[in-house]
Amino acid sequence: EDDLQRLLRSYPELVPAADFGLPEGLLIVGRETPVATGAIDLVALARSGDALVIELKTGPTNPDFRAALAQLIDYGAQVWQQSYDDFERQAVTFFRGPQCTDAKSKSAPSLEAAARAAWSLSDEEAEAFKDRLARQLAEGDLHFVVVAQRIPDTFVRNVEYLNRMSAGPRYYAVELKAFAHKDSAVSAYLPITK
């Protein structure tokens, strides 16, 4: 799980935001973000101001994906009704800490500064970003993502069901397949949205 966290912190584009109907290019704003009931593996933002709560699972060695859904719902309940200012304080703590590896957001004094650096936002876009994020936090209308090396079909069915029956939060499952050439030490990763 630590390896997956490091990988996604360094390459957040491996989470296929476009497949979720979001703009490409996520900004990681938290790793092991503490909440009352645990720690969120990764918290990310899209250019639109949409917030993603990302739970990482190691695949076959951690097969209880029902627990992953319960964890995501629990984390959503903890983030729900959080103020923009409180969310920003946690993000700035992350930006100033050793977990932040993105040169553009490292040491950013605010979410807006990090967003402007990541996406070259105009004043209007920055305001829309802040408004969207504040609304999502107030309503709990977040994006929940489970990333694993293998996603069982039963979990995919659960995700499809939740998305079909709910007008609110959206749930996604992403398989991250590792490929390596036998003559190379370099690995490539292919995200597969389910």
Side-chain angles (χ1 to χ4, degrees):
E1 199 170 300
D2 285 343
D3 290 341
L4 275 176
Q5 279 188 13
R6 278 191 292 276
L7 180 68
L8 290 175
R9 263 186 315 156
S10 298
Y11 303 100
E13 62 274 9
L14 288 172
V15 175
D19 289 354
F20 309 158
L22 300 173
E24 287 286 348
L26 297 178
L27 173 65
I28 302 297
V29 298
R31 176 178 183 232
E32 292 297 327
T33 302
V35 293
T37 55
I40 301 170
D41 287 343
L42 291 172
V43 179
L45 295 174
R47 180 187 180 113
S48 57
D50 285 270
L52 293 89
V53 174
I54 302 170
E55 179 64 23
L56 306 172
K57 293 297 173 195
T58 53
T61 60
N62 193 350
D64 190 2
F65 283 85
R66 291 174 301 172
L69 277 177
Q71 253 182 308
L72 287 172
I73 292 167
D74 183 62
Y75 293 156
Q78 301 307 310
V79 174
W80 175 48
Q81 297 182 331
Q82 188 176 40
S83 72
Y84 179 91
D85 291 342
D86 287 343
F87 187 89
E88 180 175 53
R89 269 191 284 282
Q90 284 185 311
V92 168
T93 299
F94 171 74
F95 296 149
R96 292 180 177 164
Q99 301 286 359
C100 183
T101 58
D102 179 51
K104 290 182 180 179
S105 61
K106 185 78 174 157
S107 300
S110 68
L111 273 175
E112 182 178 345
R116 284 181 182 269
W119 301 301
S120 302
L121 299 180
S122 68
D123 290 343
E124 284 180 6
E125 289 172 320
E127 193 60 36
F129 171 88
K130 290 169 66 175
D131 289 346
R132 173 68 179 151
L133 178 56
R135 190 170 54 255
Q136 269 202 316
L137 294 170
E139 297 170 0
D141 189 13
L142 308 168
H143 299 271
F144 297 106
V145 183
V146 171
V147 178
Q149 294 172 350
R150 185 182 59 79
I151 304 280
D153 291 340
T154 53
F155 183 77
V156 173
R157 178 114 173 122
N158 291 339
V159 166
E160 289 170 346
Y161 174 77
L162 286 169
N163 286 333
R164 186 75 163 309
M165 297 298 142
S166 171
R170 306 309 294 164
Y171 297 85
Y172 307 98
V174 176
E175 280 186 351
L176 199 56
K177 299 287 187 187
F179 296 91
H181 188 275
K182 64 178 180 159
D183 297 329
S184 173
V186 176
S187 294
Y189 294 88
L190 176 66
I192 301 170
T193 305
K194 297 235 174 181

